[in-house]
Amino acid sequence: AYHWTVHSKTDDAVITSLDGQQASVWLGPGEYSLQLQVTDTAGQISTARKGFAVGDVAETLAQISSPAG
């Protein structure tokens, strides 16, 4: 299972949380971090987190997917 969480980088507030191997989310300008939590069929969990920024645009559709997606 794949679980995505987008956080505001300034205060770590959760912007949105999504499930699935691929997801889309609309984001305005700002700095964010994206966390992916993967749970395999044996119940083992792995988590990764990466920061990114959205430039000065009206709104951006971020398409996110797992490496296998």
Side-chain angles (χ1 to χ4, degrees):
Y2 297 85
H3 183 75
W4 304 90
T5 308
V6 179
H7 299 261
S8 166
K9 199 155 189 179
T10 56
D11 61 4
D12 205 37
V14 173
I15 303 296
T16 191
S17 229
L18 307 155
D19 291 316
Q21 196 168 358
Q22 296 181 346
S24 299
V25 60
W26 287 97
L27 297 171
E31 293 188 26
Y32 303 92
S33 65
L34 178 66
Q35 180 175 308
L36 171 60
Q37 181 175 313
V38 179
T39 307
D40 68 14
T41 56
Q44 297 292 315
I45 297 172
S46 182
T47 303
R49 194 165 180 165
K50 180 76 174 170
F52 67 98
V54 174
D56 191 17
V57 293
E59 210 169 43
T60 299
L61 177 62
Q63 302 264 346
I64 52 180
S65 66
S66 69

